[in-house]
Each structure stands twice: as structure tokens, then as C-alpha cells.
Amino acid sequence: MNPDLYCQEKCAASGSSFYYSFLFLPAERRRAIMALYAFCREVDDVVDECHDISIASTKLAWWRQEVERVASGDPTHPVGLALKGVGGQFSLPKEQLLEIIDGMEMDLQQSRYLDFKGLSLYCYRVASVVGLLAAEIFGFKDRQTQKYAHDLGMAFQLTNIIRDIGEDARRGRIYIPMDELKQFNVPAADILNAKYSDNFTALMQFQAERAEKYYEQAFAQLPAVDRKSQRPGLIMAAIYRTLLDEIKRENFQVLHQRIALTPVRKIWIACKTWAFA
């Protein structure tokens, strides 16, 4: 299959909110961001879909080698070929691609985080690094935009953690820091057994407020000169914040279900944001 088409289908099949922001980009930038996102999906799928840790580790090691092959100009996978194809126009350093894999590998090494400092490293690797690479693809003039991209990535990942808490628990993972579970008197067993309580609701409200602070911090750091070029990120943010609002309206009933926005609603938010951002 054509590498670009492979990446496009990988992005579309994921159902991700990010996909809707990519559609507004010029062709070359769209090719690049879809190649990056397809890469993220490939390495994330290794961790989520492979239940044997040794096999998952082997597959991630293969992807590390593929990143090296992209850098040397000799990739073999359709995603690697797509990354090579856009590498001459956009800066996608192999060190950052490898750091994304480092983040995915953390899921194989631990299923709990003692505190937010430890969780922040994970969020940085799997989300903020992606945000920095995406900002490069979208284009910017002021380096302050990198701080915006970093914090927006953090906000997205914290929103993901809230949305996916039940799904992650069924995989044996809890991303809410252990010291915060203790602070709100929510036993890990309640998360794993999908047990709701007033304490759980208070805990999730605390997580949502943290995510909101990162959104606000990100927006405050986006220079006016780069606002137009960074509209795809603003579309993602509008969709994700709407999702977070929906989760709050559902009183954080996220342990037994995955709350999501419909594709039509995502497209409407994307069009509205693109027009007025």
C-alpha cells in the first residue's frame, strides 16, 4: 500500500479527535502530521494489543530500529517510509521519535505512579513530545509556541487519562497518582472494580481541574503571530475540552463506559474553531 494512504487509513480508523483537525491542513503538512500520528498509533498499539510483555518489548525494539532506519534513509515499514518522505521538509528528530517509544515502554514497566511528578514524565514522553513535533509541522515563528505545545500535550494526556480510566483499569493500569488516591480516600480496588463513590467524584474533579489549568496555561503561551498556523492544535483543544465538559456533565461516570463525542459533533467543532480561532 502507498505509505501516505496507509497512514491516512491508520489515522481515520483510530477514530481519534486529532484526525478531524488534520483535514484542514495543506497537503504537505497533512501528509506529515498523519505520518507522525500513524507512528504514534503503531507503537501505542504494540503496548495495548500485545499481552505478552516480552513480545511487546521486542516489537518496540523493532520500532527503535525502524526510527534509526528512517534517519539513515532506509526504512521498511509504510509508516517509516512516510516519515522519510516528509523528513526533508519538516524537522522530526529521531531523538524525539525514540522518546515517544520510551513513553510507550513505560507502560510495560509500570502500571502505577506514586505521584504527579512521575506521571508528568510519562505524559511528557507520550504527549508533549508529540505536541512539540506537531507544532513544528504546523509551523511557528515564535519559539514561545513550543511552551504552548508542551502544555497542550499535557492537557490532552490528562484528559485521556480521565476518559480512559475504566478501560485502563481493565488492563490493570491506573494512571491517577497513588498519593492522590490516598488523599481522596479512593482505594485502587475501587478503580479496578468500577466502584463509584462521592470520593471518586471529588478525585476526578481534581484531575479535571488540573487538566483545565494546563489548557489555560497553554493558551496563555500561544503567541498571536502563530495562532493561525497552530489552528489544528486549537481544534484538538476545542474537541478535547468539549469532551471534558461532557464527562463532567456525566458526573465522571467513566469507570464502566467510555464517554465520547460523535463524529458529526467533532466535525462541527472543528469547522467552528477553524473559522474563528
Side-chain angles (χ1 to χ4, degrees):
M1 182 183 291
N2 175 283
D4 293 334
L5 182 58
Y6 178 95
C7 292
Q8 181 178 337
E9 292 190 358
K10 187 77 176 178
C11 293
S14 73
S16 170
S17 300
F18 294 161
Y19 177 71
Y20 296 90
S21 69
F22 302 162
L23 301 177
F24 293 84
L25 287 166
E28 286 306 303
R29 296 187 192 277
R30 186 168 63 249
R31 283 182 63 224
I33 195 64
M34 286 192 175
L36 173 62
Y37 187 74
F39 168 77
C40 295
R41 288 265 29 106
E42 290 286 351
V43 293
D44 188 47
D45 288 347
V46 168
V47 174
D48 284 346
E49 297 177 3
C50 187
H51 303 295
D52 186 312
I53 292 178
S54 63
I55 294 176
S57 296
T58 299
K59 288 185 175 182
L60 288 182
W62 185 91
W63 274 106
R64 289 184 188 280
Q65 294 169 358
E66 181 70 352
V67 168
E68 295 291 346
R69 287 190 289 269
V70 171
S72 64
D74 192 31
T76 59
H77 192 279
V79 170
L81 291 166
L83 287 171
K84 175 191 172 185
V86 300
Q89 187 172 357
F90 303 99
S91 177
L92 303 174
K94 73 173 184 179
E95 291 80 10
Q96 289 181 300
L97 296 176
L98 291 172
E99 192 152 25
I100 294 170
I101 298 177
D102 289 342
M104 303 302 176
E105 198 158 37
M106 288 176 73
D107 278 331
L108 303 181
Q109 299 166 346
Q110 62 187 104
S111 59
R112 305 285 190 278
Y113 291 87
L114 293 178
D115 51 31
F116 185 66
K117 181 180 179 181
L119 180 65
S120 293
L121 175 61
Y122 173 77
C123 293
Y124 170 75
R125 286 175 168 173
V126 302
S128 290
V129 172
V130 180
L132 291 167
L133 289 169
E136 176 72 29
I137 291 170
F138 300 152
F140 63 85
K141 297 178 181 177
D142 190 326
R143 301 199 73 82
Q144 178 76 13
T145 295
Q146 292 177 310
K147 294 182 179 179
Y148 147 84
H150 172 280
D151 287 348
L152 194 59
M154 288 290 294
F156 289 156
Q157 189 59 27
L158 294 174
T159 304
N160 282 341
I161 287 170
I162 294 168
R163 179 195 63 192
D164 298 339
I165 185 170
E167 185 178 319
D168 290 330
R170 288 187 285 278
R171 291 191 175 107
R173 300 179 196 151
I174 298 177
Y175 292 100
I176 306 298
M178 294 293 101
D179 63 348
E180 293 172 11
L181 290 178
K182 184 177 180 180
Q183 177 186 342
F184 285 88
N185 195 25
V186 177
D190 283 4
I191 306 292
L192 297 172
N193 294 319
K195 181 181 178 181
Y196 293 101
S197 65
D198 290 342
N199 288 347
F200 173 78
T201 302
L203 170 66
M204 298 311 290
Q205 182 63 43
F206 179 79
Q207 305 303 314
E209 288 172 0
R210 173 186 282 148
E212 287 286 1
K213 287 178 182 176
Y214 271 100
Y215 283 115
E216 294 300 330
Q217 192 169 296
F219 298 148
Q221 296 183 105
L222 177 59
V225 68
D226 289 332
R227 187 172 180 84
K228 185 175 181 179
S229 65
Q230 294 297 317
R231 279 185 296 181
L234 295 175
I235 288 175
M236 298 177 207
I239 292 173
Y240 261 63
R241 292 189 90 181
T242 303
L243 171 63
L244 189 57
D245 288 341
E246 193 72 22
I247 291 171
K248 288 190 283 188
R249 276 192 290 272
E250 292 282 336
N251 202 31
F252 300 102
Q253 297 290 296
V254 287
L255 290 174
H256 71 289
Q257 64 179 344
R258 178 182 169 123
I259 297 173
L261 305 180
T262 65
V264 170
R265 193 172 180 189
K266 291 177 182 178
I267 292 172
W268 181 83
I269 294 170
C271 292
K272 179 182 176 182
T273 306
W274 184 265
F276 296 105

